[in-house]
Amino acid sequence: MMARSAKLSRERSFGVSVGGVLMVIALALFWRARIARAEVVGGVGLILVVSGWLRPAWLKRPSDTWWAVATVLGWINARVLLSIAFFLVLTPIGYLMRARGRDPMARRRLAYRGWIRYADRYRDTKHFDRMF
């Protein structure tokens, strides 16, 4: 019984959330005087909200399709958006910092304030025989 109610909860969530967003979009379309589009989008949103509350089992196929498309789009968008952010934002910043000689991670030994030379006693392997 628990798995069935969890599944119905997923369909109910789909109907109420997607239908609610469609109804908000319909209000925006109505406000912008796009009456015919607002009626269609609002009608679909109302059907989703009502069926999400009354018969969530009817929304199994639309919900599964929605999640399949969302998964594919999420996978693609993550790669596209992260690539754009890397190449258009981070790469130029890195080039500018390198051109100005800035090294915030202190990758060069001379730039790292806490760098100490390797002690000669560590070169002797007997040092590691009795560590304490």
Side-chain angles (χ1 to χ4, degrees):
M1 184 70 178
M2 185 66 119
R4 183 169 185 242
S5 66
K7 191 68 172 169
L8 290 179
S9 171
R10 180 177 172 182
E11 279 91 24
R12 176 171 286 143
S13 173
F14 164 75
V16 171
S17 62
V18 174
V21 168
L22 287 177
M23 288 174 35
V24 169
I25 292 172
L27 284 174
L29 288 171
F30 182 76
W31 181 64
R32 306 237 340 149
R34 308 275 198 266
I35 306 301
R37 291 180 189 165
E39 288 175 347
V40 172
V41 173
V44 172
L46 185 64
I47 289 171
L48 284 174
V49 169
V50 169
S51 58
W53 279 109
L54 299 178
R55 297 279 186 210
W58 289 354
L59 297 175
K60 180 182 178 357
R61 282 197 178 157
S63 174
D64 291 344
T65 304
W66 178 266
W67 283 108
V69 169
T71 302
V72 171
L73 284 177
W75 188 88
I76 292 170
N77 283 337
R79 276 116 186 112
V80 169
L81 293 176
L82 289 175
S83 297
I84 289 171
F86 182 79
F87 288 112
L88 296 181
V89 176
L90 296 177
T91 303
I93 289 173
Y95 282 137
L96 288 173
M97 289 174 70
R98 181 174 283 192
R100 295 184 65 203
R102 189 146 183 257
D103 188 19
M105 291 176 47
R107 292 174 295 164
R108 293 184 214 113
R109 290 183 181 176
L110 298 176
Y112 178 58
R113 294 184 192 117
W115 177 258
I116 56 172
R117 302 216 35 97
Y118 194 69
D120 290 333
R121 65 184 172 125
Y122 295 138
R123 296 186 200 286
D124 185 16
T125 56
K126 291 189 180 207
H127 169 73
F128 298 105
D129 288 343
R130 292 193 61 166
M131 296 293 290
F132 48 88

